Amino acid sequence: MTHTHCPYCSLQCGMRLERRGRAALEVQAWPEFPVNEGALCRKGWTAAGLRGSRERLTSPLVRDRASGELRAASWDEALDLVAARLTALRRQHGPDSVAVFGGGGLTNEKAFQLGKLARVALGTSQIDYNGRWCMSSAGSAANQAFGIDRGLPFPLADVEGTDVLVLVGSNLAETMPPAARHLDRLRERGGRVVVVDPRRTATAERADTFLQPVPGTDLALALGLLHLVVAGGGVDEEYVAARTTGFDVVRRTVAAWWPERVERVTGVPASELRALADLLVGAATVTVLTARGAEQHAQGTDTVLAWINLALALGMPGRESAGYGCLTGQGNGQGGREHGQKADQLPGYRMIDDPAAREHVARVWGVPADSLPGAGRSAYELLDSLGTDDGARALLVFGSNIVVSAPNATHVTRRLEALDLLVVADLVMSETAAMADVVLPVTQWAEETGTMTNLEGRVVLRERAVAPPDGVWSDLEVMAGLASRLGSPVAFPTDAEEVFAELGRASAGGRADYAGITYDRIREEHGVFWPCPSAEHPGTPRLFAESFATPDGRARCVPVEHRGPAEAPCDDYPVHLTTGRVLAQYQSGAQTRRIRDLPDDGPFVELHPMLADRIGAHDGDLVVVATRRGELKAPARVVPTIRPDTVFVPFHWVGANRLTNDALDPSSRMPEFKVCAAAVRT
C-alpha cells in the first residue's frame, strides 16, 4: 500500500494505491489526509487508468529526415542527437537560441532541476512555463499587496469558519469537487456563500447569492463594492490605519464607481450590488477567493488587486477565518513557480535580477554568479518569438501540451513549426509531442517520487507505487542525461530526495523557504507549510497574523482602474466568448481523454436560449464560433444558466484556444483567455 496524492488539481488530494497483479493499480481512500478526508472526484478515482494503456510511450522517438515519420530509437541515440543539435545551435547563434518550456504539473524537484538545466547546462535565459497562464496575475497582485505570493495564506478548511465567502470566477464544485464540502459546512453553520460568474455553474447552485456580470468586468464590480463600503462607513478605519498604506488614494479612486455606473458596465443590478455590500459590511468575517475566471485577463492583476483592496478595507487579511486567497489551478501551480521555471525567478521565489539572490543560488549550484543569465521572455512571448531572427531556434518541452493550451493556438503552432528542433518529454503522444523532432517517454505520477505544493502552500509527497514500463525514464534522468552530454560544469542528481535537499538549500532565506522541510517530516506531518526555514520550525499554515511580508510589515493598497477587455464586441463579433473546464476532464486532456472511465463528449458551445433563437440553433445542432483568430465547430448546448450575450467553450480539446486572445496583462504577462469578441452561427 502506497500513500500518495492525486495527479491532477492543486488540492493534491491524498489517496492510497494498492497493487493488483503485476502492474495494475487500484485507487483507495486515505481518510487521514486532512485536505480531502478520503474524498476524491471522478478524475481521482480513475487516475490509475492510464497505467498499462496502449497509448503510453515506452521508447524514444526520432523523426526520420527522409520520411518525416517518427521512428523508435535508443536513449543514447536520442539524447546524443538532441545534445549535438543543441550544441551546434548554441555555438552558431548563442545560448538564447535554445528555450525551455515547463509545466505547473511538474514536481518541485523537476521544476528546480529544469531551471538549473536552462541556466547552468544550457546557459539560456529563455525559460518559462504554462503556470504563467494559471496563477501569474494572482501572484503578481499578492506580491504587490502582501509582499509574498502564496495562493492561500491559510488552510482551505479555514473558509468553513468565515461568515461570508465570496468566490470570484471559480467553479469549485466542478474543478475541485472534494473542496465543495467546505461550502456546505459553511452554510450549515449559518455562513453565506456568494458566487460571481457569467455562468450559473454547479458552484453557483450551492450559493446564497449569485451575481452574473458581463465577462471581463469583475474589476468594475469590486470597485463598485468598495465604493459602497466607503460611502456607507463600512471601512475598518483602525485596521486600515494600523496595517495598510495607500488606502487614501484607493478611497478617492473608487469614489467614481457609484452603483448605477457599475450596473451599466457589469450588467449586475445596482440593487444586487447594494445588497452584497450590506452583507459584507455586516459580517464579522469575510473571505474573498479568486480563480481563473477573474485572473485570466489582460487586466487580471488589477482585478485581483481590486478584490484585495476590498478585503483590506474590511479589515480581513491576517484575521482568523478571513482574508483573501487564490484558488490555484494546476497540481503544482504553487510550487512550480517558486523554484526556477519562471523567466524572472530563481529558487525560493528569488528574483533573478537581485545580485544577492544570484550569489546565493550560484553558490548552492557551484557556479559563478555572473555565469547565470538574466531574465528571459514570459511564456507567450517566448512562444511568439520561436523561429524568428531574435527568438529561440530549439525548444525543450517538459510537462506541457502547448498546441492545445496556448492562446491564439494556431499562431503558436506555426511558431513551433518554424523551429529547427522541437523536443518533447511526455507520457503519451500529445498534440505537441506529435509535432516534435524527438519525443522522450517519461514516468507518470505513480511511477516516481517527488514533492508537490498544493493550493494552501502545503508541501506534500507523492511516493512511487510501481516501477515504470521498460524503456521509460524519469524527467530527472532525462535532464541529467542531457546535462552530461552538454558538458555541464556541475552534476545533475537523479534521486528526487537528493534534488529536494538541494532545493531546500537554494530556497533558504527566500520568500518560499523550504530549508526545514524533509521527506520524513512530510510523511510524519501530512505535509509541511512553507515558509519553514529550519528543522525546528513548525511550518507556517497561516500568514499575516502579525505583519505582512513587506519591508514595513504593512499591506499595500494599490489604486486600480477598470479598462475593460482588450477586445470589445462589435457588429462582426457581437458576443463574448469565455472558456473553462468541465468535471470529467483536466487541462489539455492529454491524460484524462485517454482514460476509458472518464466521459469524453468532446467540445461543445454553451449558449442561452435567446441567443440560440436568434441564430436558429437548437440543442445538439452544430454551431460555429468565430473570433478574429479562428473558428470552432461543435454541438450547441442550449441552457438558461449563461448570460444571453455570452458563449462558453471548454478548453480541453483542440479548438478552443484557437479562438482565444493573446493580449497580455502588463504586469503578470497573463494572456486574456477568459474573454474575447466572438460571433456564433449555424
Side-chain angles (χ1 to χ4, degrees):
M1 179 77 69
T2 302
H3 290 79
T4 188
H5 297 271
C6 179
Y8 298 119
C9 84
S10 65
L11 280 180
Q12 284 302 287
C13 292
M15 60 168 60
R16 298 185 297 187
L17 294 176
E18 181 80 27
R19 290 189 63 163
R20 292 283 183 251
R22 203 168 140 218
L25 291 172
E26 179 181 279
V27 175
Q28 297 181 3
W30 180 10
E32 295 80 17
F33 187 70
V35 174
N36 59 309
E37 299 173 339
L40 294 167
C41 73
R42 65 172 69 177
K43 293 190 291 291
W45 287 119
T46 61
L50 204 57
R51 176 75 187 169
S53 167
R54 289 189 223 168
E55 296 200 56
R56 278 296 300 278
L57 298 172
T58 57
S59 171
L61 302 172
V62 172
R63 195 169 298 280
D64 187 274
R65 291 193 172 184
S67 68
E69 299 295 319
L70 288 167
R71 61 169 178 82
S74 69
W75 274 100
D76 281 340
E77 179 188 0
L79 294 180
D80 286 349
L81 171 64
V82 172
R85 293 181 70 178
L86 294 179
T87 299
L89 286 169
R90 292 166 65 218
R91 186 181 299 121
Q92 184 175 359
H93 302 288
D96 280 357
S97 65
V98 178
V100 179
F101 200 90
L106 299 179
T107 63
N108 288 314
E109 292 81 0
K110 294 178 189 178
F112 171 82
Q113 202 81 312
L114 197 60
K116 182 178 175 182
L117 178 75
R119 295 179 174 110
V120 174
L122 290 166
T124 182
S125 67
Q126 300 302 295
I127 176 172
D128 214 274
Y129 80 130
N130 63 18
R132 176 77 68 171
W133 303 336
C134 176
M135 283 276 298
S136 60
S137 288
S140 174
N143 279 325
Q144 291 181 55
F146 304 135
I148 196 168
D149 163 28
R150 199 178 88 183
L152 291 183
F154 43 73
L156 180 61
D158 280 11
V159 303
E160 295 178 13
T162 197
D163 290 330
V164 178
L165 173 65
V166 183
L167 293 170
V168 189
S170 168
N171 186 10
L172 178 146
E174 288 193 88
T175 57
M176 45 182 70
R181 74 190 190 281
H182 298 303
L183 308 186
D184 298 333
R185 291 174 181 173
L186 186 158
R187 296 179 73 196
E188 285 168 6
R189 52 162 291 277
R192 303 283 295 275
V193 174
V194 179
V195 170
V196 179
D197 200 303
R199 304 166 61 226
R200 183 178 285 275
T201 62
T203 308
E205 292 295 338
R206 298 169 96 132
D208 302 282
T209 300
F210 172 52
L211 273 59
Q212 196 168 21
V214 172
T217 63
D218 294 321
L219 198 165
L221 189 68
L223 295 174
L225 285 169
L226 185 49
H227 170 100
L228 288 167
V229 169
V230 170
V235 174
D236 186 334
E237 300 289 357
E238 183 178 348
Y239 175 99
V240 166
R243 302 210 57 188
T244 77
T245 62
F247 187 72
D248 285 342
V249 178
V250 171
R251 193 194 306 263
R252 290 194 296 272
T253 302
V254 301
W257 286 93
W258 59 92
E260 287 72 22
R261 181 187 179 194
V262 175
E263 179 175 343
R264 289 198 298 274
V265 172
T266 67
V268 175
S271 59
E272 294 183 10
L273 198 71
R274 289 188 173 96
L276 177 54
D278 289 343
L279 178 65
L280 298 177
V281 170
T285 53
V286 174
T287 300
V288 177
L289 301 179
T290 63
R292 305 305 80 69
E295 299 159 11
Q296 287 181 320
H297 295 272
Q299 55 177 32
T301 300
D302 286 353
T303 299
V304 175
L305 284 168
W307 288 97
I308 290 175
N309 287 340
L310 177 64
L312 289 169
L314 294 167
M316 297 299 158
R319 296 179 56 189
E320 186 176 345
S321 295
Y324 165 79
C326 166
L327 294 169
T328 308
Q330 295 190 77
N332 203 28
Q334 182 67 55
R337 69 183 181 279
E338 296 168 356
H339 299 300
Q341 285 191 98
K342 285 184 76 176
D344 55 352
Q345 288 178 199
L346 290 171
Y349 220 123
R350 289 181 157 91
M351 303 313 294
I352 202 165
D353 58 0
D354 177 357
R358 294 170 64 85
E359 286 287 348
H360 174 86
V361 174
R363 190 163 52 250
V364 172
W365 282 344
V367 298
D370 59 8
S371 72
L372 299 180
R377 295 178 174 96
S378 72
Y380 184 79
E381 291 164 306
L382 185 157
L383 297 177
D384 184 44
S385 69
L386 295 175
T388 64
D389 289 344
D390 66 342
R393 295 167 181 262
L395 180 67
L396 310 181
V397 180
F398 289 80
S400 187
N401 189 9
I402 297 164
V403 169
V404 178
S405 63
N408 197 2
T410 300
H411 170 70
V412 170
T413 300
R414 292 195 191 105
R415 299 272 37 93
L416 293 173
E417 292 170 343
L419 287 165
D420 294 343
L421 177 68
L422 174 61
V423 180
V424 175
D426 212 331
L427 319 175
V428 295
M429 188 62 74
S430 68
E431 288 80 359
T432 307
M435 295 182 61
D437 300 291
V438 180
V439 182
L440 304 174
V442 291
T443 49
Q444 63 158 307
W445 110 106
E447 301 160 357
E448 61 188 14
T449 294
T451 61
M452 307 285 279
T453 305
N454 82 342
L455 78 171
E456 309 163 298
R458 185 195 304 256
V459 184
V460 300
L461 180 63
R462 289 181 178 174
E463 303 262 23
R464 173 169 156 156
V466 65
D470 291 341
V472 172
W473 285 20
S474 74
D475 296 88
L476 294 180
E477 290 172 322
V478 172
M479 293 180 218
L482 282 174
S484 64
R485 287 167 171 82
L486 291 165
S488 170
V490 298
F492 277 68
T494 59
D495 177 75
E497 191 165 6
E498 184 180 349
V499 175
F500 187 76
E502 184 179 323
L503 180 159
R505 296 192 297 274
S507 72
R511 279 183 280 181
D513 191 334
Y514 285 35
I517 305 176
T518 64
Y519 278 22
D520 286 341
R521 279 195 66 178
I522 296 171
R523 292 185 183 105
E524 292 165 6
E525 300 173 29
H526 289 165
V528 180
F529 291 86
W530 71 263
C532 182
S534 68
E536 297 74 32
H537 193 282
T540 315
R542 295 170 182 85
L543 302 174
F544 312 146
E546 302 298 328
S547 66
F548 296 96
T550 56
D552 61 4
R554 293 169 174 258
R556 304 287 187 259
C557 298
V558 182
V560 293
E561 189 54 82
H562 175 71
R563 301 186 301 276
E567 204 174 73
C570 61
D571 290 343
D572 293 331
Y573 301 97
V575 299
H576 303 279
L577 168 68
T578 191
T579 64
R581 287 167 53 184
V582 297
L583 177 61
Q585 298 296 322
Y586 181 71
Q587 300 302 85
S588 75
Q591 295 179 71
T592 50
R593 285 188 278 117
R594 289 171 167 85
I595 292 178
R596 257 179 293 173
D597 293 332
L598 290 175
D600 179 3
D601 300 326
F604 59 86
V605 180
E606 187 177 283
L607 67 165
H608 191 275
M610 290 172 60
L611 179 55
D613 287 345
R614 194 181 315 149
I615 66 170
H618 301 88
D619 197 70
D621 289 351
L622 287 177
V623 297
V624 176
V625 179
T627 71
R628 290 177 173 85
R629 290 154 294 281
E631 293 187 351
L632 166 73
K633 181 182 284 189
R637 288 193 183 177
V638 181
V639 296
T641 51
I642 192 169
R643 290 182 56 92
D645 58 3
T646 301
V647 295
F648 167 85
V649 177
F651 57 60
H652 310 290
W653 296 269
V654 171
N657 278 320
R658 290 176 178 168
L659 309 176
T660 50
N661 195 351
D662 54 12
L664 301 180
D665 180 291
S667 175
S668 68
R669 317 310 288 169
M670 166 77 82
E672 189 149 69
F673 286 101
K674 279 295 184 279
V675 60
C676 64
V680 59
R681 64 178 188 272
T682 54

